[in-house]
Amino acid sequence: MAGLGQKPTAGGRTYAGLGLPLMLPAWVIIGFFLVLPIGIMLVYSFLTKEFRGGVIWEPTLAAYDQFFFDRGLFGDEQPKIEWTYILIFWRSIWQAGLATLMCLLIGFPTAWFIATRPASSRTIWLFLITVPYWVNLLIRTISMKFLIRDNGPLNQWLLDAGLISDPIHIINTNTAVQLGLFYSYLPFMVLPIYAAVERYNFSLSEAAADLYASRWITLRHIILPVVKPGIIAGCILVFVPSLGAFLAPDLLGGAKNFMIGSLIEEQFKGNAGNWPFGAAASMILLSMVLIVLIFYARAQGRAHAKGAS
Amino acid sequence: MAAKPDLKRFPGFFALTLLCLFLLYAPLVIVMIYSFNDSQSITIWGGTSLRWYGDVFWGPEADKFKQAAINSLAIATAAAIAATTIATMSATAMLRAGHFRGKGASFALINLPLMVPEIVTAVATLIFFSAIGFTTGYATILIAHIVFCIPFAYLPIAARMEGVEEVYEQAAQDLYATRWEAFRLILLPLMAPGILSGFLLAFIISLDDFIITNFVKGAGIETLPTAIFGAVKQGIKPNIMAISTLLLGVSILFVTLSYFAGRIGQKTKTPTGETT
Amino acid sequence: MAEDQTINPAIEIDRVVKRYGSFTALNDVSLTIADNEFFTLLGPSGCGKTTLLRCIAGFEDISEGAIRLYGDDIANDPPNKRPVNTVFQQYALFPHMNVQRNVMFGLQRLGYSEMDARGRAREVLDLVQLLPFADRLPAQLSGGQQQRVALARALAPNPKVLLLDEPLSALDLKLRQAVRLELQQLQQDTGITFIFVTHDQEEALTMSDRIAVISDGRVQQVGPARDIYEEPNNKFVADFIGETNLIDVAVTGVSNGMAACTLPGGAAFTCPAAQGAHQGHGHLSVRPERVSLTAPEKALITGHVQRLIYLGTDMHIDVALSDGEMVKARVQNSQSAHIPAQGAQVGLDFEEGAARLLID
């Protein structure tokens, strides 16, 4: 029916012609205070460092050189690959990846369970999942630190219950960081998957069952492919902030489990005080994130193209 | 019919959901419980008391935290108002202004603060203010907060606006309303719950921020997160748990408000259909 | 009044074209709608009827042509500058305003004082018998009541033309039939020109002074209900309005609106022809109820009974001709009626006036 709801034009047109003026404040604020700063940061990454913060306006590749190459203490040796920072980046990717996997393994069943509840109780479940997300991240991280300390409540209970004879050492390990990241971003995994499952047409499951598929076969071959966009969105929403996270590695990981966020922070707030290097590390992190997002956008584009044909 | 297997059910999913909720809530509940601990030590349980709440309000660090709380609330309120206004205008442009040049870029721009890692935003903002010779202080914190609050305000506002059928504004125009009247008298009231959610979300996000604030705050200016972080660096003390519990309460109050704002909105919606 | 359309046209649609990218939604549409007329735009979904209505209301810009309201070109005016009101398909009652506020909305935009607007709103609400519901919210009303509020809201500012976009489609069958009569009465009482969009031919035939049948963005035929049904112009109109047989014929000559043709089986036949019909291959439209069964030797066409369908008051009979073509006949079930058996050889007959040669 050619009702008024389905117009051949995409999007509303009530305020046609006012698009640009209405967008102007956002363009000014975000353009001037985010896009331009990123540009200046890029410039800074090619400048010479001033000790105790700041820069000298002399172009150099020193920051990137320091990131990738080791030229000895006085800078006169044959350049070797500098593994310190690459390892920090690699550890960040690994930690973020594991945290994402943990979120997916717990988040998918949770999202599925919630999306298959009756509509009335669904909002309550969803509410329960989102409440922690609204709680200050710093406080959540502190809570986690408190819980998993060597003589924290978790170890005490396990000792009291006789399940362990010595406290499990979790704090200041990689596991603690993964746990912290997992805890920080779990709702980001649940919500997009939930949205995808909610749109899932259950007659597909019925059709699969009618054609002799077991429920796990149906999950593997029907459900997962259909809700895949939601899963990918969830993974990105967890992985990207985990990669540059500062609080969880800093408070739970300790000095040995440095991640990118701490490395960058140290260049500006800590003792290292090397702004160009911090800017360069930020640019590298930003590039990695953009690569992930571009892959995602292209995959989405392909999915849309497939859906349209 | 009774024996029909439920295709929506997978064994173990319910248990994992409970585990998920347990993992999400256990640390918070424990901190809440220990905030009532009447003991100098955070480890040993010394009975129930409100002494650490007293410490928060009247103890040696009370002034510091009070000032930090005032700063946080003032910045969050101002940032949320600005971000909500900008986000409402942007959503109107994206969803109601047809096609215009730079629409795709505009959409990317609004979402940019979500895509750039917080630490990168923090670094870029710090370098920017330093490069243009701007002294860091309240103003720099506020500007940075407005920037990253815009997408968070935008999401619920745009979602709500999408849910309001344009036919209402068309009906208004058909009944001789100008576009401004259609916006003010029809669209704005109908999407008010979305605007409220957007405001609350932006407010919480601003209140929540640590990394960016930590970079762009001037010397001596603290918000609650930076003050708490500074204190935690010396080790977790019981008064931190009391503050955390108070902040937890504020967050839960806000999320509950926003939840009910959404529900009220849904009730007034139902365009056709019988009595609800 | 329908025949007097030249005297005072309310709306003139003049060679209007509407394109969306490469898609042409309205293709050179010209219509003249008379003052005080109940005019219906009828067509299948996606035919362009709603687009045309939206162009008149001002929600769509037209690509070419002109739309004149009592002589003034309004094609470039925004909707709020056009003295035309719309009853929307899903009513679009403002959900956050009560019934009275909804009806007052347009009046206040026109500069009525609060008091005057309230007075007029109550007057119109009384007209649609909804005064007791003035304080209710739209969500607290039944579908039929909402429909009447929408009508009251659109009528309150006393528009020059009222546009109705399938306003009955959300109602159930019984209610729809009752509301049809009310709408017709309302149109006569108010004297406002109604332009009514529907895909329901029964609705169109029973309510309208004149109907424009639209398909593929073009006006196929304009006329009173009887003309549209009895004298369809082309295959689309004949097929869309009611049920018909389209019989392949060879046209041997056309003159004075009459066509001489050869029926399948070779019988010569003369019948009225649609304008533009020409010699060669053509289609004859005969309504099933106008086809009668006779003995094969006395008939125009012969065939054998393929299928009998019992319809209560009627019997529907499918007759297969020797070339495989199917002709439907409808015979009243009465004691005197002779119903042939399945497979029986039968003859089909129809009068000159019952058939019409169509253009494709």
Side-chain angles (χ1 to χ4, degrees):
Chain A
M1 202 171 306
L4 287 168
Q6 304 126 289
K7 296 176 295 293
T9 41
R13 300 192 306 119
T14 305
Y15 309 100
L18 296 178
L20 281 175
L22 284 169
M23 278 309 298
L24 192 66
W27 274 101
V28 168
I29 293 281
I30 300 179
F32 199 70
F33 295 109
L34 184 61
V35 179
L36 181 62
I38 289 173
I40 293 178
M41 181 175 77
L42 178 64
V43 173
Y44 265 50
S45 72
F46 292 105
L47 296 180
T48 309
K49 75 167 169 180
E50 164 121 70
F51 291 96
R52 300 190 322 267
V55 285
I56 301 165
W57 282 82
E58 270 172 40
T60 168
L61 286 171
Y64 292 94
D65 188 81
Q66 182 190 347
F67 191 94
F68 291 107
F69 299 109
D70 176 13
R71 294 176 192 272
L73 195 53
F74 303 102
D76 51 0
E77 293 169 25
Q78 271 301 317
K80 291 178 300 209
I81 300 284
E82 168 67 271
W83 288 106
T84 317
Y85 307 117
I86 296 172
L87 272 176
I88 290 175
F89 268 67
W90 172 244
R91 184 186 301 133
S92 303
I93 294 172
W94 174 250
Q95 300 278 56
L98 278 179
T100 307
L101 189 65
M102 283 163 69
C103 285
L104 180 60
L105 290 179
I106 300 260
F108 179 81
T110 305
W112 179 273
F113 178 78
I114 295 174
T116 52
R117 291 305 90 201
S120 52
S121 61
R122 220 182 285 168
T123 46
I124 310 247
W125 284 100
L126 217 51
F127 178 71
L128 286 175
I129 292 289
T130 42
V131 165
Y133 163 72
W134 288 67
V135 173
N136 198 306
L137 180 61
L138 176 62
I139 287 172
R140 282 189 285 153
T141 313
I142 293 172
S143 308
M144 183 57 87
K145 185 182 172 89
F146 178 73
L147 181 67
I148 62 174
R149 281 171 315 136
D150 288 352
N151 49 1
L154 182 67
N155 271 317
Q156 246 168 13
W157 289 334
L158 291 175
L159 284 170
D160 290 349
L163 291 170
I164 52 171
S165 51
D166 292 306
I168 322 171
H169 182 66
I170 312 175
I171 196 84
N172 297 346
T173 64
N174 279 337
T175 314
V177 178
Q178 286 149 24
L179 207 59
L181 293 175
F182 161 77
Y183 181 45
S184 302
Y185 302 118
L186 181 57
F188 287 176
M189 182 64 83
V190 177
L191 295 178
I193 298 180
Y194 164 80
V197 174
E198 205 194 17
R199 283 195 305 268
Y200 174 73
N201 180 356
F202 280 101
S203 55
L204 293 181
S205 283
E206 288 171 358
D210 185 55
L211 296 165
Y212 319 110
S214 74
R215 64 180 77 230
W216 296 104
I217 295 275
T218 306
L219 179 67
R220 163 83 184 72
H221 290 282
I222 309 293
I223 296 167
L224 285 182
V226 171
V227 302
K228 200 167 98 188
I231 293 177
I232 293 174
C235 287
I236 285 182
L237 283 177
V238 173
F239 183 79
V240 166
S242 296
L243 200 57
F246 170 73
L247 285 175
D250 191 79
L251 289 173
L252 303 170
K256 276 191 301 183
N257 299 290
F258 233 51
M259 279 175 59
I260 306 173
S262 311
L263 175 70
I264 294 173
E265 200 252 6
E266 200 167 57
Q267 309 307 319
F268 295 90
K269 291 269 140 186
N271 303 322
N274 186 341
W275 283 31
F277 183 71
S282 299
M283 284 312 302
I284 294 169
L285 172 61
L286 183 59
S287 319
M288 287 176 13
V289 168
L290 287 182
I291 287 169
V292 172
L293 292 177
I294 287 168
F295 266 109
Y296 172 63
R298 287 183 53 179
Q300 289 288 86
R302 259 201 307 272
H304 272 287
K306 232 193 260 172
S309 66
Chain B
M1 282 308 266
K4 185 173 161 289
D6 185 353
L7 295 169
K8 296 177 179 180
R9 273 179 58 182
F10 285 88
F13 276 24
F14 178 54
L16 281 170
T17 305
L18 291 183
L19 176 67
C20 178
L21 286 177
F22 176 77
L23 289 171
L24 285 174
Y25 283 92
L28 299 177
V29 171
I30 288 188
V31 163
M32 239 191 269
I33 292 170
Y34 273 80
S35 72
F36 295 103
N37 185 5
D38 184 28
S39 161
Q40 278 289 346
S41 156
I42 55 165
T43 313
I44 300 153
W45 183 255
T48 330
S49 95
L50 289 173
R51 71 181 271 200
W52 296 113
Y53 288 90
D55 187 77
V56 168
F57 288 105
W58 298 284
E61 291 182 305
D63 286 342
K64 186 178 97 185
F65 283 120
K66 216 177 284 170
Q67 186 56 48
I70 291 169
N71 290 347
S72 272
L73 291 175
I75 289 168
T77 308
I81 289 173
T84 307
T85 310
I86 295 171
T88 305
M89 293 174 73
S90 304
T92 311
M94 296 305 291
L95 296 171
R96 289 289 204 267
H99 187 77
F100 58 91
R101 268 185 66 146
K103 190 172 183 179
S106 299
F107 186 69
L109 183 91
I110 290 170
N111 287 295
L112 189 67
L114 283 181
M115 293 188 267
V116 177
E118 257 189 294
I119 188 94
V120 175
T121 306
V123 168
T125 314
L126 172 65
I127 288 178
F128 173 72
F129 285 131
S130 147
I132 62 170
F134 211 87
T135 322
T136 49
Y138 291 109
T140 51
I141 302 178
L142 180 60
I143 289 170
H145 279 220
I146 292 172
V147 171
F148 69 71
C149 282
I150 289 174
F152 286 97
Y154 180 83
L155 289 174
I157 291 173
R160 179 75 198 190
M161 198 184 283
E162 251 180 331
V164 177
E165 282 183 78
E166 202 184 14
V167 69
Y168 295 117
E169 289 142 272
Q170 290 177 340
Q173 284 184 285
D174 187 61
L175 294 162
Y176 314 106
T178 62
R179 296 202 286 183
W180 169 240
E181 285 171 324
F183 179 80
R184 190 167 50 89
L185 300 172
I186 305 299
L187 183 58
L188 217 51
L190 289 181
M191 60 178 289
I195 293 178
L196 183 59
S197 300
F199 175 83
L200 293 174
L201 191 55
F203 185 88
I204 282 285
I205 291 292
S206 164
L207 207 59
D208 192 46
D209 179 72
F210 166 72
I211 300 174
I212 296 171
T213 313
N214 191 35
F215 269 67
V216 299
K217 77 188 173 72
I221 299 177
E222 299 284 355
T223 63
L224 263 186
T226 64
I228 294 172
F229 184 80
V232 170
K233 274 294 175 182
Q234 330 286 320
I236 303 178
K237 281 184 289 176
N239 64 339
I240 295 296
M241 284 189 272
I243 293 180
S244 299
T245 307
L246 289 173
L247 260 179
L248 205 80
V250 171
S251 299
I252 288 172
L253 180 73
F254 266 77
V255 68
T256 313
L257 282 178
S258 138
Y259 176 74
F260 282 111
R263 302 214 76 178
I264 290 164
Q266 267 161 10
K267 270 194 190 136
T268 56
K269 227 186 126 196
T270 39
T272 50
E274 306 303 300
T275 322
T276 38
Chain C
M1 63 200 120
E3 282 70 27
D4 288 343
Q5 47 172 292
T6 45
I7 294 169
N8 191 8
I11 293 253
E12 289 165 275
I13 314 284
D14 191 1
R15 310 190 68 103
V16 165
V17 176
K18 171 69 186 171
R19 292 186 205 92
Y20 298 104
S22 60
F23 172 69
T24 307
L26 295 176
N27 196 348
D28 197 22
V29 171
S30 293
L31 282 172
T32 305
I33 297 161
D35 189 24
N36 197 13
E37 188 173 24
F38 197 124
F39 192 89
T40 297
L41 303 174
L42 172 67
S45 32
C47 70
K49 58 190 189 301
T50 293
T51 305
L52 181 58
L53 197 76
R54 291 174 59 82
C55 287
I56 300 171
F59 302 128
E60 305 283 349
D61 301 324
I62 56 175
S63 312
E64 284 171 36
I67 298 176
R68 280 185 290 276
L69 179 69
Y70 291 99
D72 303 326
D73 189 350
I74 55 164
N76 292 316
D77 293 346
N80 55 320
K81 300 280 183 232
R82 302 186 188 197
V84 162
N85 290 141
T86 308
V87 176
F88 292 85
Q89 188 174 11
Q90 303 290 339
Y91 316 136
L93 299 177
F94 306 130
H96 57 304
M97 298 181 186
N98 68 23
V99 167
Q100 183 169 312
R101 285 272 151 210
N102 262 283
V103 180
M104 284 166 70
F105 187 90
L107 301 167
Q108 287 180 303
R109 304 285 82 69
L110 285 174
Y112 277 58
S113 72
E114 169 95 14
M115 225 179 70
D116 293 348
R118 189 180 302 134
R120 169 70 179 150
R122 297 188 77 82
E123 198 180 303
V124 186
L125 282 173
D126 197 31
L127 186 69
V128 297
Q129 293 143 31
L130 277 179
L131 207 47
F133 298 90
D135 294 330
R136 297 264 190 107
L137 284 174
Q140 297 166 322
L141 301 178
S142 72
Q145 290 168 329
Q146 291 184 22
Q147 199 265 346
R148 270 150 51 205
V149 177
L151 207 57
R153 187 177 71 172
L155 284 171
N158 223 339
K160 290 189 172 160
V161 174
L162 188 74
L163 308 176
L164 302 104
D165 184 23
E166 309 221 11
L168 309 184
S169 63
L171 305 177
D172 59 45
L173 186 68
K174 274 248 173 75
L175 199 52
R176 221 180 311 168
Q177 285 166 343
V179 173
R180 267 185 215 161
L181 297 172
E182 280 179 39
L183 267 183
Q184 223 176 353
Q185 192 59 46
L186 203 60
Q187 194 269 328
Q188 280 163 16
D189 293 350
T190 57
I192 294 172
T193 307
F194 277 30
I195 303 182
F196 185 90
V197 159
T198 184
H199 65 278
D200 182 333
Q201 43 158 315
E202 201 184 318
E203 240 168 64
L205 294 176
T206 52
M207 293 165 79
S208 325
D209 293 326
R210 282 192 308 147
I211 300 170
V213 182
I214 299 179
S215 156
D216 288 335
R218 288 175 186 277
V219 176
Q220 304 291 339
Q221 190 169 355
V222 186
R226 178 172 282 276
D227 289 5
I228 298 270
Y229 187 80
E230 307 268 339
E231 296 166 20
N233 247 339
N234 59 29
K235 258 171 86 177
F236 176 82
V237 176
D239 208 25
F240 185 71
I241 314 282
E243 208 183 358
T244 198
N245 289 299
L246 292 170
I247 303 170
D248 276 335
V249 292
V251 185
T252 51
V254 182
S255 67
N256 286 337
M258 296 298 281
C261 37
T262 313
L263 293 170
F269 187 70
T270 314
C271 69
Q275 231 175 14
H278 52 81
Q279 230 167 308
H281 182 79
H283 285 98
L284 215 59
S285 164
V286 188
R287 302 282 179 196
E289 69 270 20
R290 307 291 286 269
V291 176
S292 53
L293 300 179
T294 55
E297 55 280 7
K298 289 192 285 179
L300 283 170
I301 318 174
T302 56
H304 61 269
V305 176
Q306 178 90 8
R307 200 158 57 130
L308 292 161
I309 303 169
Y310 178 73
L311 295 174
T313 55
D314 290 342
M315 185 63 98
H316 177 110
I317 305 164
D318 279 342
V319 177
L321 307 187
S322 56
D323 60 356
E325 209 179 330
M326 204 68 77
V327 175
K328 299 169 280 216
R330 190 172 282 218
V331 178
Q332 220 163 39
N333 270 333
S334 63
Q335 292 201 317
S336 60
H338 167 70
I339 307 290
Q342 182 143 359
Q345 185 80 11
V346 288
L348 299 172
D349 200 9
F350 37 85
E351 289 162 31
E352 228 174 60
R356 189 170 166 81
L357 180 69
L358 303 178
I359 53 175
D360 282 342

